[in-house]
């Protein structure tokens, strides 16, 4: 089983739609969780950390379910500029490198 | 405050040559990580360094690849005797610790011809 698994997509949604991505992780001892965004041929950029209680940043909401070992990202009122690949990222222990999922591709269509 | 600086942005090497990729972390960051991304693939961890120390090199091929982060100067990822399969984007990231996420550089795109 892969350490971090994501549906590769693509998710093609119209502007204004709400879209949700899920990600599962294999190591129950994982400590920190993040969503990154990567545009085509660019570097990944931190979108948001994911906290146990769930957290929101504008149109973006992240949630963590430790019992089921999955993380979700919800994007409301999608914009064309949201088109990118969204990477689910997990830190297993404090001093170990982050593990990246392969990403979910989102295309927001006018 | 400059971000993570990588150079060169693009590097073309013939098979058998050496490739040297440089990374200067963000000011105040002492942790450096190198990742490789093949076309249409995810980011694969290669090596994690702190000043003058390799902390984890479990993702780096045993042969031809080496990395360093000297006391002075940037971190260097060196690939000797490059082969076509080494063609990829190599990203460097830095952090104050993994709990806070990483900041990535723009990457070096290596093409082996």
């Amino acid at each position: 089983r892969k350490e971090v698994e994501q549906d590769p997509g693509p998710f093609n949604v119209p502007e204004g739609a709400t879209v949700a991505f899920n990600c599962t992780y294999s190591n129950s001892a994982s400590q920190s969780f993040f969503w990154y965004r990567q545009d085509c041929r660019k570097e990944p950029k931190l979108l948001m950390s994911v906290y146990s209680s769930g957290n929101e940043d504008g149109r973006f909401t992240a949630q963590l379910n430790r019992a089921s070992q999955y993380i979700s990202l919800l994007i409301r009122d999608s914009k064309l500029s949201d088109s990118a690949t969204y990477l689910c990222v997990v830190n297993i222990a404090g001093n170990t490198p982050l593990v990246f999922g392969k990403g979910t591709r989102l295309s927001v269509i006018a | 405050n400059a971000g993570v600086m990588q150079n060169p942005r693009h590097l073309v090497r013939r098979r058998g040559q050496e490739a040297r990729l440089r990374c200067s972390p963000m000011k105040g960051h002492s942790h450096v990580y190198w990742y490789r991304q093949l076309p249409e693939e995810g980011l694969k961890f290669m090596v994690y360094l702190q000043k003058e120390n390799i902390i984890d090199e479990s993702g780096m091929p045993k042969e031809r690849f080496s990395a360093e982060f000297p006391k002075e100067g940037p971190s260097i990822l060196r690939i000797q005797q490059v082969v076509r399969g080494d063609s990829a984007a190599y990203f460097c990231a830095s952090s104050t610790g993994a709990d806070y996420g990483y900041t990535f550089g723009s990457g070096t795109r290596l093409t082996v011809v």
Side-chain angles (χ1 to χ4, degrees):
Chain A
R1 184 181 170 187
K2 292 180 182 172
E3 289 181 280
V4 180
E5 290 202 70
Q6 297 182 250
D7 180 345
F11 285 61
N12 299 314
V13 303
E15 274 187 290
T18 295
V19 61
F21 309 134
N22 287 332
C23 159
T24 58
Y25 59 95
S26 61
N27 193 320
S28 59
S30 298
Q31 297 182 358
S32 306
F33 309 89
F34 309 90
W35 283 101
Y36 276 70
R37 170 196 170 126
Q38 186 174 25
D39 292 281
C40 188
R41 299 186 67 76
K42 300 276 192 178
E43 73 273 22
K45 292 185 178 177
L46 179 63
L47 181 64
M48 58 198 303
S49 301
V50 186
Y51 302 120
S52 297
S53 54
N55 48 299
E56 190 174 303
D57 183 0
R59 297 181 294 108
F60 298 82
T61 301
Q63 291 195 311
L64 167 64
N65 185 320
R66 285 192 184 271
S68 302
Q69 294 179 212
Y70 80 77
I71 307 149
S72 65
L73 177 67
L74 183 79
I75 306 176
R76 289 181 298 277
D77 188 23
S78 299
K79 312 288 184 194
L80 293 175
S81 57
D82 293 334
S83 297
T85 297
Y86 290 83
L87 307 174
C88 176
V89 185
V90 174
N91 174 230
I92 294 169
N95 212 27
T96 59
L98 295 181
V99 179
F100 286 74
K102 284 192 172 184
T104 298
R105 190 177 298 178
L106 171 67
S107 289
V108 181
I109 304 159
Chain B
N1 184 12
V4 178
M5 304 301 292
Q6 284 190 254
N7 67 81
R9 292 290 298 273
H10 300 276
L11 182 61
V12 179
R13 284 287 177 266
R14 295 187 185 280
R15 279 178 294 171
Q17 290 185 317
E18 178 179 288
R20 276 193 185 220
L21 289 61
R22 295 173 189 78
C23 169
S24 295
M26 281 185 71
K27 190 175 180 181
H29 285 191
S30 59
H31 302 247
V32 167
Y33 311 84
W34 285 92
Y35 285 77
R36 176 164 65 176
Q37 188 171 37
L38 294 167
E40 305 302 319
E41 292 289 322
L43 284 157
K44 297 295 184 190
F45 166 73
M46 297 183 74
V47 61
Y48 163 29
L49 310 103
Q50 292 184 28
K51 281 289 187 183
E52 299 186 274
N53 288 307
I54 295 175
I55 308 301
D56 183 345
E57 57 182 347
S58 59
M60 199 154 67
K62 295 282 187 289
E63 297 179 357
R64 302 190 297 109
F65 286 73
S66 62
E68 62 177 4
F69 188 14
K71 189 176 179 182
E72 302 290 338
S75 175
I76 306 285
L77 179 67
R78 183 198 297 181
I79 311 172
Q80 295 177 299
Q81 298 172 347
V82 296
V83 301
R84 288 231 170 98
D86 295 333
S87 296
Y90 291 82
F91 289 101
C92 169
S94 72
S95 77
T96 55
D99 285 353
Y100 307 101
Y102 300 166
T103 300
F104 280 85
S106 300
T108 293
R109 276 164 183 77
L110 172 66
T111 303
V112 179
V113 298

